[in-house]
Amino acid sequence: MEEKIGVLLLNLGGPETLKDDIIRLPGLFKLLQRPLAKLISVLRAPKSEEGYAAIGGGSPLRKITDEQANALRMALEANNVNVSVYVGMRYWYSFTEEVIEQIKLDRIKKLVVLPLYPQFSISTTGRD
């Protein structure tokens, strides 16, 4: 049997509703997460809520990325490619770290990673 290939679509993610909090801090900094999230939300919430309300009340990134993943999986399977397609988000579910653990559990040995970030994002270029 042909070895299964994994494809990981990476995206930033975003709140799915106006009440969602996307700020995550690592390790010892987790204690500061709530106060920092509160400060940022007070400063940015009105503008962010207005923007998200204008596009349906939340970020469409998860839904759009899931649709892209499904379309890619179907296209590859139609060409007889044994594939599993995953979606990992930087700031939302499913978090990239969690998806990588699933990829390991699925014993994927070959992985294609497709970042879907904006081209001039510090996330893709490493520069401001």
Side-chain angles (χ1 to χ4, degrees), residues 49-73:
E49 280 188 21
E50 182 180 314
Y52 283 123
I55 59 171
S59 172
L61 278 178
R62 179 64 205 210
K63 179 180 182 284
I64 291 168
T65 307
D66 283 343
E67 290 170 354
Q68 290 172 321
N70 189 46
L72 179 60
R73 181 189 52 76

Side-chain angles (χ1 to χ4, degrees), residues 106-117:
D106 292 346
R107 295 191 170 122
I108 298 295
K109 302 292 185 216
K110 293 181 182 178
L111 183 67
V112 177
V113 179
L114 299 173
L116 303 177
Y117 305 125

Side-chain angles (χ1 to χ4, degrees), residues 94-111:
S94 298
F95 294 114
T96 303
E97 301 87 358
E98 297 166 356
V99 175
I100 290 171
E101 289 306 313
Q102 184 61 53
I103 291 168
K104 289 177 184 178
L105 288 173
D106 292 346
R107 295 191 170 122
I108 298 295
K109 302 292 185 216
K110 293 181 182 178
L111 183 67

Side-chain angles (χ1 to χ4, degrees), residues 2-117:
E2 189 177 315
E3 186 174 53
K4 185 173 270 196
I5 297 171
V7 178
L8 173 58
L9 302 183
L10 296 175
N11 216 330
L12 296 173
E16 292 178 358
T17 71
L18 295 177
K19 296 182 189 310
D20 293 333
D21 177 13
I22 64 169
I23 296 172
R24 293 187 310 151
L25 296 177
L28 296 174
F29 296 106
K30 284 185 180 185
L31 296 173
L32 300 173
Q33 186 160 327
R34 281 236 190 269
L36 181 61
K38 194 64 161 170
L39 175 65
I40 291 171
S41 68
V42 167
L43 298 174
R44 292 189 56 187
K47 186 174 183 176
S48 295
E49 280 188 21
E50 182 180 314
Y52 283 123
I55 59 171
S59 172
L61 278 178
R62 179 64 205 210
K63 179 180 182 284
I64 291 168
T65 307
D66 283 343
E67 290 170 354
Q68 290 172 321
N70 189 46
L72 179 60
R73 181 189 52 76
M74 288 178 11
L76 290 170
E77 287 176 350
N79 284 290
N80 298 315
V81 177
N82 188 12
V83 67
S84 287
V85 180
Y86 305 87
V87 172
M89 296 287 179
R90 174 69 181 101
Y91 298 112
W92 202 242
Y93 303 100
S94 298
F95 294 114
T96 303
E97 301 87 358
E98 297 166 356
V99 175
I100 290 171
E101 289 306 313
Q102 184 61 53
I103 291 168
K104 289 177 184 178
L105 288 173
D106 292 346
R107 295 191 170 122
I108 298 295
K109 302 292 185 216
K110 293 181 182 178
L111 183 67
V112 177
V113 179
L114 299 173
L116 303 177
Y117 305 125

